[in-house]
Amino acid sequence: MKNKFTFLFFLILASFSAFSQSLSSSPYSIYGLGSLYDSDFGTISAMGSSGVALPSERFINNLNPASLGFSYRNHFLFDVGGKAIQTSYQDLSKKENRNNVQFSHIAFAFPLSTKSAFSLALKPYSSAGFKISDYKLPIQDSNEEYTLSATGTGGLNNFDISYGHRIGKKLGLGLTTSVLFGSTTDNREYLIANSQTTIDKESSYTGVRLNLGGQFKVDSTFTIGAVFKSPSKVNATKVQSVVSYNADLDASNTIETDVASDVDDFYLPSEFSVGFHKMFKNKFGVSADYEKAFWENTNQNTMYGNYLNQDKFKLGFSYRKGKNLRNYFDRIQFSAGMNYDTGFLEIDNKRIENKALSFGVSLPIENTFSTLNISYSYGQKGRISNGLIKENYHKLSVNLSLDGIWFVKRKIE
């Protein structure tokens, strides 16, 4: 037991240190708060990121707090994970490859009674990690262009406090309070005619958001679920320095130096998701989700694009032979899935869509609910067009779901 606590403590320290690194290398992370991050617990990443209707019986379900109401008594659950991503970026003229290792999440959950449970989770919400060189853009109401070069790092973190309670044997309700915090750095150079301007900015963000969830077990094989995320305001402040140069870069004019000020707040949309999970012959599982995010209601635009309402479609499958629970191979679960995301950004009248296929395996650890979950997914984001970039990515996700039985007396000493 002492070795387990030492290992757990090491994972927590390693996870917190990972938050100091930028998680995204996508050029689309230049917009808003950066690229939104999907942190999938347990087997969710292998099942096309679907799971609104999955109960928290064997793992922590971060998609729906109501799932905690179906947690087993005396079972303490711990989940930590990471991802390795290889991405190729391609436009009309060139192609570039990048590799990235990302922290995914750290979470634990424990029951408060036979009908309720509590969980804490720390994960990224968004990340910015872009580098753009000599990108030409038109000057509004003019036939001339200016050149933009930019680099950015950072992002927002999400600390979730969740509670789930079961009413009777079939209905579970849950609430999550999400505390958002983080900062980004944004360094840009604008070259216009015979002058150059550099703007170095560091922005800090804080906000709170509420999520309500529900799950209903129609019978022992069929569960439906739903989640509503409230709209929220993310407060922002910045520290900025601005310097302008002449064409030869031998004369400069400092306009601002580390000037602190408030900036326009960022608004998160109201969102809802619905889904179901169905088991067949206690072996085959099917999970399907639909999500909707109302970005248009936030009334915010970027300098280079517009926000549109977002739709996500997710479908997942699982198989576990499960005939002999004492047989290790009978307890292995195989999963596969797919998802399609319309995206919430429109650039040059074109949506930045995302689609992916995934499959994975859950390997049991000892004779408990503990598993090592490994999944692979291949996806595409964006498109090749004038001014747009297409991303093709290969993602390997690994997470450890640990189960420990607490407060149970031994019958034999």
Side-chain angles (χ1 to χ4, degrees), residues 51-297:
V52 169
L54 291 175
S56 292
E57 295 174 342
R58 299 175 181 267
F59 76 103
I60 304 172
N61 183 351
N62 63 298
L63 299 181
N64 192 341
S67 64
L68 292 168
F70 296 96
S71 299
Y72 287 137
R73 185 180 182 183
N74 297 324
H75 281 255
F76 178 93
L77 300 176
F78 174 78
D79 207 302
V80 64
K83 303 176 183 180
I85 303 178
Q86 190 276 326
T87 310
S88 66
Y89 304 92
Q90 186 175 1
D91 60 14
L92 292 174
S93 60
K94 60 182 179 179
K95 184 177 181 180
E96 179 181 344
N97 295 322
R98 296 181 190 176
N99 299 318
N100 199 355
V101 177
Q102 306 178 349
F103 170 77
S104 175
H105 63 273
I106 182 170
F108 66 88
F110 56 89
L112 299 176
S113 68
T114 57
K115 295 184 178 181
S116 63
F118 176 83
S119 73
L120 295 174
L122 182 63
K123 57 188 179 181
Y125 175 78
S126 67
S127 56
F130 55 86
K131 183 176 182 180
I132 299 174
S133 300
D134 301 327
Y135 185 57
K136 296 187 181 298
L137 293 165
I139 299 176
Q140 189 173 3
D141 300 326
S142 172
N143 293 326
E144 299 182 1
E145 294 181 327
Y146 70 93
T147 302
L148 168 67
S149 297
T151 58
T153 59
L156 266 69
N157 304 315
N158 193 344
F159 180 63
D160 287 344
I161 306 170
S162 301
Y163 172 78
H165 183 80
R166 177 165 49 88
I167 301 174
K169 295 183 179 181
K170 294 188 174 183
L171 178 62
L173 299 176
L175 171 67
T176 296
T177 301
S178 298
V179 181
L180 301 167
F181 62 95
S183 63
T184 60
T185 60
D186 190 327
N187 305 313
R188 304 193 184 193
E189 295 181 358
Y190 298 90
L191 181 61
I192 304 175
N194 295 321
S195 66
Q196 177 178 308
T197 301
T198 64
I199 301 177
D200 299 327
K201 179 175 64 175
E202 182 175 352
S203 302
S204 299
Y205 302 92
T206 57
V208 177
R209 195 180 197 187
L210 297 178
N211 304 337
L212 301 174
Q215 281 188 348
F216 183 76
K217 283 194 172 184
V218 179
D219 56 39
S220 60
T221 66
F222 186 51
T223 305
I224 58 176
V227 174
F228 172 76
K229 297 182 179 181
S230 68
S232 177
K233 180 175 72 172
V234 179
N235 301 311
T237 59
K238 71 175 180 180
V239 176
Q240 179 172 282
S241 298
V242 181
V243 181
S244 63
Y245 301 86
N246 63 10
D248 298 325
L249 302 180
D250 56 4
S252 64
N253 177 31
T254 300
I255 300 173
E256 292 181 351
T257 302
D258 294 335
V259 176
S261 63
D262 293 331
V263 296
D264 292 339
D265 297 324
F266 192 88
Y267 291 88
L268 302 180
S270 58
E271 303 178 44
F272 77 86
S273 56
V274 294
F276 73 85
H277 178 252
K278 174 67 176 178
M279 290 295 299
F280 298 92
K281 297 183 179 181
N282 206 31
K283 295 181 180 180
F284 299 94
V286 179
S287 180
D289 293 353
Y290 168 72
E291 297 182 22
K292 181 81 172 184
F294 297 92
W295 285 96
E296 291 181 9
N297 294 341

Side-chain angles (χ1 to χ4, degrees), residues 344-359:
F344 61 90
L345 277 175
E346 182 185 59
I347 304 172
D348 194 24
N349 296 319
K350 298 179 179 63
R351 278 185 177 268
I352 308 303
E353 301 175 340
N354 183 63
K355 47 193 173 183
L357 298 172
S358 60
F359 61 87

Side-chain angles (χ1 to χ4, degrees), residues 317-337:
F317 307 92
S318 64
Y319 171 76
R320 180 189 286 116
K321 188 175 181 181
K323 284 187 176 181
N324 183 3
L325 295 181
R326 293 184 179 182
N327 187 312
Y328 181 83
F329 293 99
D330 282 5
R331 293 188 291 122
I332 295 176
Q333 177 174 305
F334 301 92
S335 304

